[in-house]
Each structure stands twice: as C-alpha cells, then as structure tokens.
Amino acid sequence: MDGSQIFPGERPTWASEDGGSRVPYWVFQREDVRALENDKLFHGPIWNYLCLEAELAQPGDFVAVHAGETPVIVTRDTDDQLYAFENRCAHRGSLLALEDRGNVKDFTCVYHAWTHSLQGDLIGVAFKDGIKGCGGIAEGFDMAQYGPRKLRVASVSGMVFGTFDEDADDIEDYLGEEILGRIERVFNGRKPVVLGRFTQILPNNWKLYVENTKDSYHASILHTFFTTFELNRLSQKGGIIVSEEGGHHVSYSMTDREAEKAKETASVYSDQNIRSDKDMTLQDMSLLTGFKEFPDDITLQILTVFPNFVLQQIQNSIAIRRVQPDGIDRTKLHWTYLGFEDDTPEQRKIRLKQANLIGPGGYVSMEDGCIGGFVQRGIATASGERAVLAMGGYDIASGNDRITEASIRGFWTEYRARTGL
C-alpha cells in the first residue's frame, strides 16, 4: 500500500517557521511528495551523479543508470564526447538498453526496432516506407522531432553529472568552491579505477538515507566497530562544511596527535553510555592497516552533493554512493569502490581489504542498512508528528564541531526551497 492510500486527501502544510529543524513525517510517506520530488528535484535545475568517465573508455561504451527514478543512458560517441538521455524508446516508451553496461553502435528497441544514435537521436524507423506500397509512417513524419529527453552533462574529477534543466547553474557554480575543493582533495588529479560495485536495497524512503549520510555524530553511537577499534572518535579534530544554500556538505575527522589519549577517549564514551566492546577483536588486524595517502591527516571525509550523491574517504577506502529513490519506502543504494591508476599493488590490496569496512555487510556501516527501516516503521502511524533537529542549535553553519545536525538542517532548507514545500 502506497503513501497516497495510507494518507489520502490534500497534502498537509509544512509550517514555514519549522524551517529545516522540524521535519513532518509525511514527507517520507506520500505519493504526491514523490511526484513533486521527481519534477522539482531530479528533473529540475540540479545535477544528478551518473557514472565515471572511466566506465566509458571507448566510443560506443554505455552505462544504464537512473536520475532519481528516471532510467538514463550515458554514452561515449565516436566524437569522444559524453552524452546522456532517457533510457526510453521514442515510439512506445520501452527501455532501449536492457543491460547495465556494454559497447554498441546504436540503440535499437527490441519492441518495434526504432533505432537511436549514441547521442539519443532517433535515426531509424522499421518499415518506415511500408511494404509493397502499403503502410509506412505518416506523411511528413520528421524523425528529428522525436526522441527521448536529453540531459546536459558535465564532468568533475572524472565523475559524470547530468541535468535535465538546460538553465541549471554550471556544475562548478552548483557545487561551490569549498565542495569542489574537497572533491579535488580526494581525486587529486588521479584517474579513478573501479574496484567493485554492488547495489543494496534499503527498506525506507531515500531521504532517510540521505539524512544518515549527513548525520555527523551518529557513527560513534550507532557503529560499535568505530568506537571499539577507534577508527573515528568525536574527540578527534574535525568539523563540517555546509554549502551556502544548505544542500551540500562535508563532514571530516582528522588525527589529533597531541590530544588523542586512550584514557581520555574511554572516559568520553563511557560517560555518555556509548557502546564500545573492548572484548571484540579481529583475527587479522591488518584490516585496519593503511597507508599515508593525504597530507592533511584527515582519516574520514563524507561529502554529499544535493540531492543524492555521496563521496566517501574512510581511511583508504574510497567509494561513491548513488542514492536512487525506488518508491516511497524503498531505496536502491549503488556503491562504486575506487582505486587509482597509479596505485601500487600493495595499495590496491589495502583498498580491497578496507572495502570490507564499508557497505551492507561492512564492519563499520552495516547498521546504516537497517536504521532507516527502523525509522520508516516507527513513523508508520505518525504522519502528523515531526522530527526535531536541534543538536548544535538551529542554524546550518559550518564549524569545527561534529556534534551537530546542521548539515541535515541544511539539506531540508534547500529541499524546501527547491520543492516549495
């Protein structure tokens, strides 16, 4: 049963004074909100992450992905340029690409054999001239006037983004200098290599997972592995960066070599009744062994781009997460683990080992796969209630403090501005 059946009638009003600090639970439950998001966000003047340039190395290479819930094809044509368009036949709407990736000369629909170029143009219609003088396409039919919707594409550090809105800000302006700089910090001019990919199904609305990625202090509470093996501690140096409009963010922590004392850390967590199982051990402690990759001593950086892109650096585990809405209470989370062309064999081995830390079964983050479902179930009959985001105050300011919900408030601030809710 979908949200419109559970909560019929006119959509409630989100009080303007709530800003981004009080979030009504009906935004996770209603079909009309889902439709609004598709129109104003994913088809609006925002940039959807699509894929890596490295996945389109040769002319004819393509990947089939989604921008929100809209199926999209991204290609490299023989002119060596990248293109993106709806994965939808111009004739009757069937998918054009049935595989996730491959190399083709064109896209011919299996239904009626209408053919589309690598740029998404309609270039051929089966039986266009009929057979033996009978049938054929209507007189005056102009193939140039038909075809799936196209996206404008742009690349950042080898990552391909697309927008349906030709009037959207250039990607550099959309991201802003601070976010762009933090992306470039991770890639540092290096060419990424895909080490692995998978898709995780989450039993909750997509925005609940986005909230989770922007929650800069839950990791030391929810994730026992973090505190037990001291990968990330709130006593470390760190902070958050929130973009001016609120939608993008960076949360980071870094080694504080003078202040990091084991007894002090233990006291911080025991005083707050935070789980940390000191009896837990690893048979192979080399899982936690890394290499010096960045000069700034940042050991964890989570970066999000509004509305649904995540770039992670946790130790030497670097990955992209694309959050795909899949109905009201279901989300597809697409993970792509990265290395770089200039990695040594030993560095590649470390990245592959540390990939076990992050993901649906990852030692660090497996709890993230279920917590959104706990919320979705918990609010099932509470559509008239609101979440409260008061940690760290009520603003969306950047700062040197991770015990805050500023970046979540920032997301809802930009969400409300773009959807009009």
Side-chain angles (χ1 to χ4, degrees):
M1 182 176 292
D2 64 33
S4 61
Q5 293 170 321
I6 298 173
F7 307 108
E10 186 176 354
R11 186 172 63 234
T13 299
W14 189 342
S16 59
E17 61 268 23
D18 283 351
S21 63
R22 299 301 305 272
V23 181
Y25 291 132
W26 52 258
V27 299
F28 305 109
Q29 300 169 323
R30 295 187 63 93
E31 277 286 355
D32 50 7
V33 171
R34 176 187 178 192
L36 183 68
E37 292 169 350
N38 184 65
D39 180 39
K40 298 294 186 180
L41 298 185
F42 301 108
H43 285 190
I46 64 94
W47 287 90
N48 298 275
Y49 170 75
L50 300 175
C51 65
L52 291 166
E53 286 189 45
E55 298 178 88
L56 304 168
Q58 302 298 324
D61 285 352
F62 77 90
V63 294
V65 293
H66 284 77
E69 294 192 59
T70 302
V72 168
I73 297 172
V74 192
T75 68
R76 186 181 294 277
D77 201 354
T78 53
D79 62 0
D80 205 36
Q81 299 300 303
L82 301 178
Y83 298 90
F85 50 92
E86 269 189 297
N87 188 0
R88 174 181 60 82
C89 179
H91 182 209
R92 301 269 288 279
S94 174
L95 291 173
L96 288 171
L98 303 180
E99 302 293 332
D100 290 338
R101 61 194 70 248
N103 184 281
V104 297
K105 293 181 178 179
D106 54 45
F107 294 93
T108 299
C109 180
V110 298
Y111 200 176
H112 298 96
W114 283 34
T115 301
H116 304 70
S117 72
L118 290 172
Q119 298 184 24
D121 297 318
L122 178 62
I123 58 175
V125 173
F127 305 124
K128 178 177 180 291
D129 300 319
I131 299 178
K132 296 182 179 180
C134 298
I137 202 73
E139 185 177 350
F141 180 84
D142 182 5
M143 287 191 293
Q145 301 301 313
Y146 295 87
R149 289 174 289 189
K150 296 184 179 181
L151 291 81
R152 176 180 155 206
V153 297
S155 293
V156 176
S157 294
M159 300 183 296
V160 182
F161 291 81
T163 178
F164 282 101
D165 193 324
E166 281 297 323
D167 295 325
D169 291 340
D170 290 344
I171 187 68
E172 294 82 6
D173 294 329
Y174 181 76
L175 294 173
E177 289 185 9
E178 284 191 298
I179 301 299
L180 189 60
R182 287 293 182 138
I183 291 173
E184 292 172 346
R185 170 194 166 271
V186 173
F187 287 90
N188 194 26
R190 299 175 293 178
K191 186 175 181 180
V193 175
V194 176
L195 301 184
R197 57 173 71 88
F198 56 83
T199 298
Q200 179 181 2
I201 305 300
L202 304 176
N204 51 265
N205 186 272
W206 69 276
K207 298 184 292 297
L208 289 172
Y209 185 77
V210 171
E211 280 194 328
N212 177 274
T213 64
K214 292 174 177 287
D215 186 327
S216 54
Y217 78 101
H218 82 274
S220 291
I221 301 172
L222 179 64
H223 304 313
T224 304
F225 193 93
F226 253 152
T227 52
T228 299
F229 293 98
E230 300 184 344
L231 290 179
N232 183 50
R233 299 174 295 286
L234 291 175
S235 56
Q236 288 178 306
K237 290 182 178 179
I240 63 166
I241 300 168
V242 183
S243 62
E244 184 176 351
E245 293 79 12
H248 317 320
H249 108 288
V250 178
S251 174
Y252 63 96
S253 61
M254 58 198 300
T255 303
D256 185 345
R257 301 187 183 280
E258 294 182 359
E260 292 279 318
K261 296 179 181 179
K263 290 183 179 180
E264 292 175 356
T265 300
S267 176
V268 168
Y269 287 94
S270 62
D271 290 349
Q272 298 297 322
N273 195 29
I274 292 174
R275 296 177 300 145
S276 178
D277 189 349
K278 292 303 181 182
D279 293 329
M280 185 186 297
T281 60
L282 286 171
Q283 288 188 351
D284 182 4
M285 290 297 291
S286 70
L287 178 67
L288 305 180
T289 301
F291 60 92
K292 179 72 172 178
E293 185 168 8
F294 305 100
D296 52 18
D297 278 339
I298 290 178
T299 58
L300 180 147
Q301 175 180 287
I302 301 296
L303 180 151
T304 65
V305 174
F306 185 89
N308 61 335
F309 165 85
V310 184
L311 173 64
Q312 76 166 50
Q313 176 235 324
I314 299 178
Q315 307 292 93
N316 302 113
S317 177
I318 297 173
I320 291 169
R321 311 176 201 170
R322 177 169 57 86
V323 185
Q324 179 191 329
D326 192 33
I328 292 173
D329 56 2
R330 179 177 142 111
T331 299
K332 290 182 178 178
L333 180 58
H334 302 278
W335 298 73
T336 304
Y337 288 94
L338 303 181
F340 297 97
E341 274 195 347
D342 58 0
D343 284 345
T344 66
E346 182 59 28
Q347 289 172 337
R348 183 65 50 81
K349 182 178 179 180
I350 288 172
R351 292 197 199 280
L352 289 170
K353 270 193 172 184
Q354 290 187 359
N356 292 289
L357 296 173
I358 315 297
Y363 293 131
V364 169
S365 66
M366 59 183 167
E367 295 92 347
D368 289 332
C370 61
I371 195 64
F374 294 167
V375 176
Q376 195 79 41
R377 288 156 57 189
I379 66 175
T381 58
S383 62
E385 301 297 328
R386 299 171 295 167
V388 56
L389 300 171
M391 186 63 75
Y394 294 104
D395 61 27
I396 61 171
S398 302
N400 297 320
D401 180 7
R402 289 177 294 142
I403 310 177
T404 176
E405 292 166 325
S407 50
I408 310 176
R409 291 190 292 270
F411 169 80
W412 289 113
T413 299
E414 183 153 349
Y415 177 92
R416 296 193 67 179
R418 290 188 178 273
T419 61
L421 287 176

